[in-house]
Amino acid sequence: MKIAVLGAGAMGSLFGGLLAGQNHAVTLIDINEAHLSAIRERGLELEMDSGRQIVANLSVARPEEVESVPDLLIVFTKSLHTRAALASIGRAIGANTTVLTLQNGLGNVERVGELVPLQQILIGVTTWPADLLGPGRVGSHGSGKIRLMSADGIDRPAVTAVAEALDAAGLHCSVDPQVWSAVWEKVAFNAALNSLCAVTGCSVGQLSAVPGGPTLAATIVREVLAVATAKGIQTDVDACLANVNQAIAQHAGHKPSMLQDILAGRRTEVEDINGAVVLAAREMNIPVAHTETLLELVRLVEARSIGKSD
Ligand code: NAD
């Protein structure tokens, strides 16, 4: 398969590197010149529990250099950069290009759908973790999986082909007709842990320093999933709460991406996580007071941290 990854940071590089290992023709598209140059010169270094490997059979490109049309385009920018990134490679999206988004948050299909017909879009969720360790270097420890489906819910050959390619690359991928449940459960998880850590500066484990930390996280999960229920999307509240508690207990030192973004003076994905939930809740007349309070607090912390870095 001819595959392009748009936004080749932590996740895009991990996925692109593993797919290249299956001899797909992979191009990583990004605007981070230091990362692209390092991969061009030394290959992509992947550090996983299975060991360290250098992936050399990868192409890299800035958006303006992309000319050929891939069979599969995986969008892995942060959600706030999707529109600009896609617009910059619009000419490389053909009528037969399948576009997959595994980004966090809500509204990913709608953003991709501004440029790509709905029947070409796949939506999914991944629990794989990844960190950019430095230019050309990505780490991913532990394991994860991917659940995906076509955005319009129709099971086409391309859905299976993409899922099989990701699965063969070791990424544990399955086609899931209930993908919207998975999307909302991940949004609930992120709305709780990411925003609480971003505002408090706590790592995930430090949220258990006072009993109110995990309780607040659980309240946010319940609020978000109540909105999903009102929209007719079935979710497993107990499983989601268990995942949150497990993360608090086991990922003690982990700093969620929203906190990392605050610390680095970057904009966060909060508008597409807590923000999108609050908008959906207003439409359905569902009270989400805690999620909304956290949204405003993250906005305040974000404004201050961006101001500081200016
Ligand atoms: P990242 O910041 O490491 O990577 C994003 C990349 O997009 C960067 O390299 C950036 O330079 C690039 N980019 C930004 N604007 C661009 C543009 N206009 N054109 C091309 N490239 C552009 O982010 P990440 O951690 O890889 O996360 C990507 C998405 O996956 C997010 O939605 C995130 O929430 C989600 N996600 C992340 C993880 C994780 O563990 N990192 C896990 C699951 C889901």
Side-chain angles (χ1 to χ4, degrees):
M1 226 188 258
K2 200 162 146 190
I3 300 173
V5 181
L6 180 63
M11 294 297 282
S13 297
L14 172 70
F15 276 51
L18 293 176
L19 285 163
Q22 293 300 300
N23 289 322
H24 296 290
V26 177
T27 303
L28 301 182
I29 307 166
D30 208 288
I31 53 174
N32 179 343
E33 197 51 57
H35 187 51
L36 297 182
S37 301
I39 298 171
R40 229 178 253 123
E41 283 161 26
R42 305 190 296 272
L44 170 71
E45 187 180 326
L46 289 183
E47 283 186 29
M48 302 182 72
D49 291 345
S50 52
R52 183 177 155 276
Q53 57 168 311
I54 304 283
V55 185
N57 61 331
L58 275 170
S59 302
V60 295
R62 292 184 58 85
E64 61 273 19
E65 295 167 344
V66 178
E67 274 161 14
S68 65
V69 174
D71 304 309
L72 171 64
L73 176 72
I74 306 179
V75 182
F76 252 142
T77 61
K78 292 277 175 67
S79 59
L80 57 154
H81 299 130
T82 303
R83 282 193 181 92
L86 270 179
S88 70
I89 61 145
R91 65 198 172 284
I93 303 171
N96 294 318
T97 304
T98 298
V99 181
L100 167 65
T101 165
L102 298 171
Q103 296 156 290
N104 280 329
L106 296 171
N108 292 310
V109 167
E110 290 80 353
R111 278 181 287 277
V112 175
E114 289 170 14
L115 270 176
V116 181
L118 193 64
Q119 63 269 23
Q120 287 174 238
I121 305 174
L122 307 187
I123 170 81
V125 168
T126 179
T127 54
W128 280 94
D131 289 298
L132 196 62
L133 305 175
R137 296 179 56 226
V138 167
S140 177
H141 293 284
S143 181
K145 59 183 179 178
I146 306 165
R147 291 152 73 181
L148 59 77
M149 187 56 196
S150 58
D152 60 9
I154 297 172
D155 194 3
R156 301 185 178 78
V159 182
T160 317
V162 170
E164 283 176 358
L166 291 165
D167 199 54
L171 285 159
H172 307 148
C173 183
S174 56
V175 175
D176 183 358
Q178 308 305 322
V179 74
W180 288 107
S181 306
V183 168
W184 274 86
E185 286 167 11
K186 184 96 193 275
V187 166
F189 180 97
N190 285 331
L193 296 184
N194 277 26
S195 61
L196 277 174
C197 291
V199 163
T200 59
C202 287
S203 67
V204 172
Q206 287 169 338
L207 292 176
S208 65
V210 296
T215 305
L216 196 45
T219 304
I220 294 168
V221 165
R222 287 200 178 88
E223 284 184 357
V224 174
L225 296 185
V227 180
T229 305
K231 288 178 77 72
I233 297 163
Q234 304 271 322
T235 57
D236 188 336
V237 179
D238 290 340
C240 196
L241 289 172
N243 283 341
V244 165
N245 288 332
Q246 190 189 22
I248 292 174
Q250 291 179 6
H251 301 166
H254 175 64
K255 289 182 180 164
S257 60
M258 212 179 270
L259 173 56
Q260 290 183 33
D261 288 337
I262 293 289
L263 294 174
R266 292 187 295 255
R267 282 181 64 205
T268 71
E269 292 185 302
V270 75
E271 298 301 336
D272 299 319
I273 301 176
N274 300 55
V277 170
V278 168
L279 285 180
R282 277 191 200 138
E283 278 170 22
M284 316 292 300
N285 227 359
I286 307 282
V288 290
H290 300 79
T291 307
E292 189 158 7
T293 302
L294 259 299
L295 168 65
E296 294 301 346
L297 290 174
V298 174
R299 282 176 175 164
L300 276 174
V301 175
E302 187 182 84
R304 194 188 56 179
S305 79
I306 290 171
K308 259 193 198 161
S309 71
D310 282 343

